Amino acid sequence: MDLEQREINVGTISPYFEQYFGHKPTVVAASPGRVNLIGEHTDYNNGFVLPMALENNCVVAVAPSPTGKHRWCGSLGDTIYEIPVEEASEKGEPFWSNYVRGVVALLGRRGIEVGPVDMLIDSNVPRGGGLSSSAALEVAVCTALAAQFDADISSKDKALIGQAVEHEFVNVPCGIMDQFVSAHGKKGHALMLDCADLEYKLIPMDDPEVSVLVLDSAVKHSLADGAYGQRRKQCEEAARILNVPSLREADLQMVEATKAELGDVRYRRARHVVGENNRVQAFAGAIATRNWDAAGVAMRGSHASLRDDYEVSCPEVDTLVSLCDSIPSASSIYGARMTGGGFGGCIVALVKTKDVDKVGQELLDAYRAATGIETIYLVTRAGDGARVLSGK
C-alpha cells in the first residue's frame, strides 16, 4: 500500500478523461478516506465513533456516454470496461465495479435512472489499510452521479447508499461510520457520530501543535473473509443474553454480572464495545479541551481492548503500537492504536507536530529492525467531506 500525497483534482483527472473517452467530463466529484481516531467495532453496535476525514480523496469524473453503454475505468492506466446499462445494477466483473454497480442500483431504487455514462476514477486514498478507500469510492460515485442526473441526495443518504452497497454488493456487513464521515467531514474537525440515531457533532481538530500520524503495517486485510461478520454475530448474541436491543444500551456492570452466561468470548466482545463507547466520549472531551495526554490514554486503552478482548489486531500492528513506547522520541507521542477493521492495516497516533517526521522515521526504522518489513507513513490533517469539484 502506498500512503501517497499525490495531489488529485479537476486539473489532474480531466485531461486523462478526455484522453480516454474523447470528450470532457461534465461533473467531477471527490470524497475522502478517513482515519478513525477512536471507536472501533462500535458502529454496528449502535455506539459512538470518532473519525476524521483525510486530506486524501477519491475523485470521480463522469459524462454522458455517446456509446449507449457505460464505459468505466477504475483508475488511471486501467482497462476501460464497457457495461450494458441493463446489467449495471447487477453484480459483475471486475470486482471493483461492484462498488459502482451498487450505487447505480441503489439510486435506481430511489427513482433515479442512471443513463449510460463514461466514468474515470482516480484516488490517493490508500487501499487495504483500513482507511476506507471503498467508502470514499462509493460516496464519490454517488456524489458524481447525483450531480450528473440532477438528483437531490442528502449527505446522510449518500452514506446510507454506500453502506447498502457494502452489504449487498460486496458482502461486508459494515456499520455506517466510514461512509458517514466521508460524506459529512469538515476541514479542521473530527466528527463524533452516534450510530444509534446518526446524530453527530463536529469537534475542532486544528491544534497546530499536534499532528495525526498514520503508519502502515504493510499487512493487507480483508473484511469479507468472515471474521468481521463473526464478531458482529457474537455482539448480537451478547445483546440478546443481556436483554438489550444492542450493546449500546449495556453498561460494564451488566456485562460483569452476566459474565458466566455470556461465556468467555461473548463476554470479552461485549466488554470491548461497552468500554470503547466510554473511551470515545472521554476522547471527545479531551480533544475539545486540547487535553492530548488524556486523549492518548483513551487511545492506548482502545488498542489493548481491540487486541485482547475483540481480537482483531495482529502481531505486526501490535509491534508498531508497542514501538510507540520505546523509540527514542516516544515522549512526543501522546497515544497510538490500531485503526480500521483490523487484521492488519494501519495504526494512528497523536504526535507533537515539531517531532512528527522524526517520530515517523524512527518508527519505520524500528519496525524494519523488528519485522524486516519496509513501510511508509502519512502525516495528515482533517479534510473536507464529499463535494462536487466542477460541473453541475
Side-chain angles (χ1 to χ4, degrees):
M1 155 174 141
D2 182 12
L3 292 181
E4 58 180 321
Q5 290 285 47
R6 176 178 62 90
E7 185 177 3
I8 55 171
N9 51 39
V10 175
T12 61
I13 197 171
S14 294
Y16 285 102
F17 188 96
E18 190 167 2
Q19 175 186 331
Y20 289 7
F21 299 115
H23 56 97
K24 297 180 184 295
T26 53
V27 171
V28 180
S31 190
R34 68 98 186 95
V35 61
N36 194 25
L37 299 174
I38 198 166
E40 221 67 76
H41 291 279
T42 49
D43 55 349
Y44 54 81
N45 287 293
N46 286 341
F48 297 103
V49 293
L50 208 157
M52 75 176 202
L54 295 174
E55 296 172 311
N56 298 58
N57 289 275
C58 177
V59 175
V60 175
V62 298
S65 176
T67 67
K69 294 182 178 181
H70 293 298
R71 293 188 297 180
W72 298 342
C73 185
S75 62
L76 300 185
D78 195 9
T79 301
I80 296 173
Y81 293 90
E82 281 201 0
I83 300 170
V85 172
E86 61 272 15
E87 297 177 9
S89 297
E90 305 169 359
K91 291 182 182 180
E93 295 295 334
F95 178 78
W96 64 261
S97 74
N98 288 308
Y99 294 99
V100 182
R101 292 168 185 265
V103 172
V104 171
L106 269 293
L107 288 174
R109 292 179 201 171
R110 294 166 182 258
I112 302 159
E113 295 301 322
V114 176
V117 294
D118 292 337
M119 178 183 299
L120 177 60
I121 299 163
D122 191 15
S123 180
N124 62 5
V125 181
R127 299 178 185 178
L131 298 179
S132 295
S133 58
S134 61
L137 172 59
E138 293 149 5
V139 176
V141 169
C142 189
T143 301
L145 291 179
Q148 178 63 48
F149 293 97
D150 301 314
D152 185 15
I153 303 292
S154 69
S155 295
K156 179 179 176 181
D157 283 341
K158 289 176 187 176
L160 291 169
I161 286 171
Q163 182 190 28
V165 170
E166 295 278 354
H167 290 184
E168 297 181 33
F169 282 77
V170 194
N171 297 323
V172 174
C174 66
I176 192 66
M177 171 182 62
D178 297 354
Q179 293 81 8
F180 198 93
V181 68
S182 189
H184 291 83
K186 183 178 179 182
K187 187 174 182 178
H189 293 75
L191 185 151
M192 182 176 173
L193 173 65
D194 184 340
C195 297
D197 56 15
L198 300 187
E199 292 295 315
Y200 71 98
K201 59 182 177 181
L202 295 165
I203 303 173
M205 187 75 182
D206 56 358
D207 186 345
E209 302 299 315
V210 177
S211 292
V212 175
L213 176 69
V214 181
L215 201 143
D216 178 24
S217 71
V219 177
K220 188 173 177 62
H221 79 292
S222 171
L223 299 185
D225 62 1
Y228 187 103
Q230 180 189 54
R231 280 156 181 75
R232 183 166 186 160
K233 181 181 178 183
Q234 290 162 346
C235 289
E236 292 167 351
E237 291 170 349
R240 283 196 293 271
I241 293 169
L242 291 166
N243 198 29
V244 291
S246 70
L247 290 179
R248 161 65 179 275
E249 289 78 23
D251 58 36
L252 288 174
Q253 185 175 359
M254 293 170 59
V255 173
E256 292 296 335
T258 322
K259 182 176 180 179
E261 190 177 353
L262 287 168
D264 177 61
V265 172
R266 286 185 296 240
Y267 163 72
R268 289 186 291 112
R269 303 298 190 251
R271 183 169 64 175
H272 164 72
V273 173
V274 174
E276 190 79 344
N277 281 327
N278 294 339
R279 285 185 288 269
V280 171
Q281 294 179 81
F283 184 90
I287 65 170
T289 58
R290 296 189 174 184
N291 185 345
W292 302 110
D293 288 324
V297 168
M299 292 177 80
R300 293 171 192 273
S302 173
H303 184 76
S305 181
L306 288 160
R307 180 192 63 213
D308 300 334
D309 279 352
Y310 221 69
E311 298 178 290
V312 290
S313 190
C314 67
E316 294 86 355
V317 169
D318 292 340
T319 295
L320 274 175
V321 173
S322 296
L323 289 170
C324 289
D325 291 326
S326 62
I327 60 171
S329 299
S331 61
S332 295
I333 303 174
Y334 292 104
R337 59 183 288 276
M338 61 156 277
T339 186
F343 311 104
C346 294
I347 71 163
V348 59
L350 295 179
V351 182
K352 294 177 182 178
T353 299
K354 65 182 180 66
D355 296 326
V356 68
D357 285 313
K358 186 199 301 186
V359 166
Q361 190 58 53
E362 288 179 6
L363 285 171
L364 295 186
D365 294 342
Y367 186 59
R368 185 192 314 111
T371 66
I373 298 173
E374 296 275 356
T375 188
I376 195 167
Y377 69 85
L378 168 72
V379 180
T380 187
R381 301 225 171 242
D384 278 321
R387 64 249 185 233
V388 174
L389 300 178
S390 71
K392 299 183 179 184

